[in-house]
Amino acid sequence: MAKVGKRITAAREGIDRNKLYPLGEALSLVKGRSKTKFDETVEVAINLGVDPRHADQMVRGVCILPNGTGKTVRVAVFARGDKAEAAKAAGADIVGAEDLVEQVQSGNIDFDRCIATPDMMPLVGRLGKVLGPRGLMPNPKVGTVTPDVTSAVNDAKGGAVQFRVEKAGIVHAGVGKVSFSEDALTQNVKALLDAVNKAKPTGAKGTYLKRVALSSTMGPGVKVDLATIAE
């Protein structure tokens, strides 16, 4: 059995791993136990009653966090002409077409979010094996394949979080930084849960939202009482 470090042991003190905490108290516990020298991300793990191996139970979507993520997001846009100019004006960090495809194919992926106009997808489709495993492949279902590049760039820069259920039926997402106020984190958590709820697939049976837990990047998990998120 792996040894648990003193820092983790200390962080776990006072947290009942079997208790469901009200959202506000859970956030307070997470924030209070962040002792690292960097501003940790507050992360949410949502256990869903779905089996993503079935196409009609796949859960994915995008959520605009009302208070942003606290991260600086580098955005790349595949576009030409007026759309390329619009992307640059909106603050995209990298804009291109064939040249950007070559850059990505060479392994130079210096961005966190990727957007493409619909006419660029025949080109971008060649990058599926490179961008797909990194979760960067543009997709119309999450608004990253769109003619409205201005809105897409603004959303990406302003706090858009993409989510997708993993094989075990869990959605993981960051909802801000421990330096955020409790109110700001509360609003972000509720926005994410609302987006996941709205993304409920037709094939989901029984209880959809089963469990929710919060943690910081290096901190212990705190289970949340779902009823307090709906308040």
Side-chain angles (χ1 to χ4, degrees), residues 181-218:
S181 70
E182 190 175 304
D183 284 344
L185 288 169
T186 295
Q187 292 171 15
N188 281 0
V189 171
K190 289 185 175 183
L192 177 65
L193 264 291
D194 184 55
V196 172
N197 246 329
K198 289 178 179 177
K200 181 179 179 178
T202 56
K205 307 296 181 185
T207 303
Y208 177 56
L209 290 177
K210 298 176 72 175
R211 290 181 294 276
V212 173
L214 299 173
S215 65
S216 61
T217 305
M218 305 293 288

Side-chain angles (χ1 to χ4, degrees), residues 25-223:
E25 187 177 349
L27 285 168
S28 180
L29 286 169
V30 169
K31 284 168 60 68
R33 281 159 173 73
S34 175
K35 304 298 183 183
T36 59
K37 294 180 180 179
F38 65 95
D39 194 4
E40 295 181 63
T41 296
V42 176
E43 301 173 352
V44 180
I46 308 168
N47 186 254
L48 301 176
V50 298
D51 184 349
R53 292 176 297 179
H54 301 288
D56 66 345
Q57 294 187 48
M58 173 54 65
V59 178
R60 71 181 304 167
V62 63
C63 173
I64 307 299
L65 298 178
N67 299 293
T69 63
K71 295 181 179 179
T72 299
V73 179
R74 286 183 58 80
V75 179
V77 179
F78 289 90
R80 293 190 181 98
D82 292 343
K83 298 296 184 184
E85 294 305 314
K88 292 176 184 177
D93 300 278
I94 306 168
V95 181
E98 285 83 359
D99 56 330
L100 184 50
V101 170
E102 291 179 8
Q103 177 181 321
V104 172
Q105 285 177 328
S106 70
N108 185 6
I109 302 175
D110 186 25
F111 50 85
D112 309 297
R113 190 68 53 82
C114 186
I115 296 164
T117 55
D119 62 294
M120 290 299 299
M121 286 311 293
L123 267 180
V124 179
R126 305 174 191 172
L127 304 174
K129 291 183 179 180
V130 180
L131 297 178
R134 293 173 169 81
L136 293 172
M137 191 66 184
N139 189 307
K141 292 182 179 179
V142 294
T144 49
V145 176
T146 174
D148 188 358
V149 292
T150 299
S151 293
V153 172
N154 287 336
D155 287 347
K157 290 282 189 179
V161 172
Q162 295 181 22
F163 58 86
R164 178 171 179 162
V165 68
E166 299 171 359
K167 290 180 180 179
I170 298 174
V171 167
H172 286 101
V175 290
K177 298 290 187 177
V178 293
S179 61
F180 282 22
S181 70
E182 190 175 304
D183 284 344
L185 288 169
T186 295
Q187 292 171 15
N188 281 0
V189 171
K190 289 185 175 183
L192 177 65
L193 264 291
D194 184 55
V196 172
N197 246 329
K198 289 178 179 177
K200 181 179 179 178
T202 56
K205 307 296 181 185
T207 303
Y208 177 56
L209 290 177
K210 298 176 72 175
R211 290 181 294 276
V212 173
L214 299 173
S215 65
S216 61
T217 305
M218 305 293 288
V222 181
K223 295 178 180 177

